[in-house]
């Protein structure tokens, strides 16, 4: 399934006027619009900044605007609020969530800490709830997980919640004992080995670019494994005219924008995220106009303080 860049003629009627309205409302509210690469194309097009979770988390700390519109899912808005407690953070679709964020049990963490004591670090993928972050020692993203886990002083590392990213990290950092949690991204896990091999047979000159949330057997077929930002950068620098892309289809917008002469092929299994797709341009306009979808967290609560500590530790280690 080839990605085709949306054209202005294929956009919904009134989309251009709505985009102008969004920009006007953002200026009036002193708001910056941050969009994830998986958000719909028209939302990415109107955003001030587009990136992956790590980029957006870092960026939000230094932006001067007093309001942040986060075009993404719940854990992203919560992370931005934790790092910027004095700012207003708005989610265009507050119900947009990440199933994987909820795939860790407190008892899993408790058992690991009981077994390994001070020689255990809990590394928490940012695709997680505030409670999971609060129970952890450090947060990581797909961009920096290998680097951060390698720098941790503890030998034993419980990686939560994604077993696939955790397994990939374990392969890159063999000197650590990585304990995996039974969680996954349903979208990336659904990519089947057979369809990847079929795509490779049909496009033998194509590079295969995969997100580490895919299964180990799928990652074994890849020429490059990395975050959404890494996939985009690799594609832009690659000499290949075709790329088979094994991540959520929303990244196709930025790939096509950065590499207009290249062809990007996605698996037949629909790699779409219904939660990300629910963040529409109309909802971005509405939250800017009404202030709806505000992320409310008590920054002084023990849970929020602990979660922020884990995020701050991520920024500290990733910046070394």
């Amino acid at each position: 399934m080839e990605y085709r860049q949306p054209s202005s003629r294929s956009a919904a009627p009134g989309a251009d006027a709505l985009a102008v309205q969004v920009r006007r409302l953002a200026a009036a509210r002193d708001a910056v619009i941050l969009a994830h690469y998986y958000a719909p194309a028209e939302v990415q097009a109107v955003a001030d900044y587009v990136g992956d979770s790590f980029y957006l988390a870092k960026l939000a700390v230094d932006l001067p605007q007093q309001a942040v519109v986060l075009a993404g899912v719940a854990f992203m808005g919560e992370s931005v609020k934790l790092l910027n407690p004095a700012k207003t953070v708005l989610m265009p679709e507050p119900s947009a969530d990440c199933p994987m964020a909820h795939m860790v049990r407190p008892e899993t963490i408790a058992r690991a800490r009981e077994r390994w004591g001070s020689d255990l670090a809990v590394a928490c993928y940012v695709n997680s709830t505030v409670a999971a972050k609060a129970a952890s020692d450090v947060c990581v993203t797909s961009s920096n997980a290998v680097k951060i886990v390698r720098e941790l002083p503890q030998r034993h590392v419980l990686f939560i919640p994604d077993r696939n990213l955790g397994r990939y990290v374990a392969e890159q950092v063999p000197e650590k004992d990585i304990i995996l949690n039974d969680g996954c991204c349903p979208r990336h896990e659904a990519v089947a080995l057979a369809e990847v091999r079929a795509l490779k047979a049909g496009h033998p000159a194509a590079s295969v670019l995969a997100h580490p949330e895919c299964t180990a057997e799928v990652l074994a077929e890849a020429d490059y494994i990395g975050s959404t930002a890494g996939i985009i950068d690799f594609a832009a620098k690659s000499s290949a005219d075709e790329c088979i892309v094994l991540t959520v289809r929303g990244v196709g917008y930025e790939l096509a924008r950065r590499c207009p002469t290249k062809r990007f092929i996605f698996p037949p299994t629909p790699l779409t995220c219904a939660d990300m797709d629910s963040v529409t341009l109309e909802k971005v306009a509405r939250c800017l106009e009404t202030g709806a979808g505000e992320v409310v967290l008590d920054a002084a609560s023990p849970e929020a303080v602990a979660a922020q500590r884990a995020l701050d530790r991520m920024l500290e280690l990733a910046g070394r």
Side-chain angles (χ1 to χ4, degrees), residues 78-85 129-136 139 295-313:
E78 290 170 349
S79 295
V80 170
K81 183 64 177 178
L82 286 167
L83 292 169
N84 301 269
T129 63
V130 172
K133 291 180 175 71
S136 304
C139 287
V295 177
V296 179
L297 288 173
D298 179 5
S301 71
E303 185 174 77
V305 170
Q308 182 177 347
R309 188 182 302 121
L311 286 166
D312 287 339
R313 181 72 169 144

Side-chain angles (χ1 to χ4, degrees), residues 104-185:
V104 58
R105 297 176 180 274
E107 53 265 33
T108 300
I109 300 173
R111 283 197 300 267
R113 291 202 184 278
E114 182 179 357
R115 178 173 180 181
W116 285 287
S118 61
D119 197 28
L120 176 86
V122 180
C124 184
Y125 195 16
V126 291
N127 301 40
S128 57
T129 63
V130 172
K133 291 180 175 71
S136 304
D137 298 292
V138 65
C139 287
V140 301
T141 72
S142 54
S143 297
N144 62 32
V146 170
K147 180 181 190 299
I148 287 177
V149 168
R150 184 174 285 131
E151 292 199 17
L152 292 172
Q154 295 88 348
R155 180 174 179 271
H156 305 283
V157 179
L158 172 62
F159 195 96
I160 60 173
D162 182 28
R163 61 176 175 259
N164 291 317
L165 178 57
R167 187 179 295 109
Y168 173 74
V169 171
E171 292 172 355
Q172 307 306 308
V173 192
E175 66 273 21
K176 301 282 188 179
D177 173 29
I178 308 294
I179 303 102
L180 302 179
N181 175 69
D182 189 20
C184 68
C185 168

Side-chain angles (χ1 to χ4, degrees), residues 40 72-73 92-97 273-281 283:
V73 295
E93 179 45 76
S95 68
D97 204 350
C273 176
D275 288 284
M276 285 288 193
D277 289 347
S278 71
V279 184
T280 65
L281 196 56
K283 292 175 183 177

Side-chain angles (χ1 to χ4, degrees), residues 264-289:
F264 297 102
I265 303 123
F266 288 79
T269 293
L271 268 174
T272 57
C273 176
D275 288 284
M276 285 288 193
D277 289 347
S278 71
V279 184
T280 65
L281 196 56
E282 289 82 1
K283 292 175 183 177
V284 173
R286 185 170 69 243
C287 82
L288 281 167
E289 189 167 24

Side-chain angles (χ1 to χ4, degrees), residues 24 30 32 41 51 82 97 131 141 209 216 249 259 263 269 279 292 302:
R24 176 179 58 79
D30 188 28
V32 63
L82 286 167
D97 204 350
T141 72
L209 317 180
R249 192 171 161 77
C259 315
R263 185 183 181 202
T269 293
V279 184

